Amino acid sequence: YGDHRDLHSFPTRRSSDLIALAGFFFLRSQQAAMRGRIADQLTTIADLKVSQIVNWRNERLGDARLLMQTPSLARSAAAFFANPDSAAASTEILAYISALRNNYRYEAVVLFDQRMNPRLAVPPPAVTTGPGCMRCWRLFLGPATSSCPIFTSEPMGIFIWI
């Protein structure tokens, strides 16, 4: 009797083994397809983020070019550096950089002298000399100078970090 039952159960076992094997290969193909779709989605997200960063950087550089072509800003900064104790000079340049910060929604605007010392900042220096500002400033002083939104008026030695 034992041998007779084994002969009848052999095709059933064989079919269940084939079904399990087919299921295994189907699962593997589905996993590979899912990984491919996820990789495509992550690539799309990364491309969008890169595009956003490039656009943001181009906007900041455009802002800097516009400001560099504003002679009254350079004159105001030069007057402040010539006489930093002058209330009029201080008020005028502070009005410029405050408007710059508010209109362009910058976190901070810092005016540096020729020796790269921060001379005037909006918000006040306690905020703008913090770790974030200093980290960007170290990047500017390092090899990646083109990546920071800083512009300069070389003849007057005026540097503004925005």
Side-chain angles (χ1 to χ4, degrees):
Y1 292 111
D3 293 336
H4 189 276
R5 277 187 247 158
D6 287 343
L7 287 176
H8 290 296
S9 66
F10 178 73
T12 307
R13 260 194 321 232
R14 183 93 162 128
S15 351
S16 63
D17 289 347
L18 287 174
I19 290 171
L21 188 62
F24 172 76
F25 285 118
F26 177 75
L27 175 65
R28 298 287 277 186
S29 70
Q30 290 297 307
Q31 287 175 333
M34 181 62 75
R35 283 189 187 103
R37 284 193 299 272
I38 290 171
D40 289 343
Q41 291 172 352
L42 289 174
T43 300
T44 301
I45 291 168
D47 290 343
L48 287 171
K49 285 298 175 186
V50 166
S51 176
Q52 287 176 335
I53 291 168
V54 167
N55 288 338
W56 174 85
R57 183 178 182 275
N58 288 336
E59 288 174 6
R60 299 299 71 79
L61 291 173
D63 296 346
R65 281 189 290 278
L66 173 70
L67 291 169
M68 287 305 299
Q69 296 170 0
T70 307
S72 57
L73 175 60
R75 281 193 300 273
S76 181
F80 171 74
F81 285 133
N83 189 3
D85 295 327
S86 166
S90 179
T91 301
E92 186 175 346
I93 192 66
L94 201 56
Y96 264 113
I97 66 173
S98 293
L100 179 66
R101 178 177 180 242
N102 293 334
N103 289 323
Y104 289 104
R105 296 186 184 129
Y106 292 132
E107 184 178 332
V109 178
V110 183
L111 182 66
F112 294 89
D113 63 15
Q114 287 179 319
R115 294 185 184 102
M116 299 303 179
N117 296 315
R119 297 291 302 273
L120 195 60
V122 175
V127 175
T128 54
T129 56
C133 179
M134 292 295 108
R135 187 171 41 252
C136 187
W137 187 239
R138 280 191 292 280
L139 281 173
F140 175 70
L141 293 175
T145 56
S146 63
S147 66
C148 281
I150 297 175
F151 68 95
T152 175
S153 173
E154 286 296 340
M156 291 184 218
I158 299 169
F159 300 86
I160 299 180
W161 175 65
I162 51 179

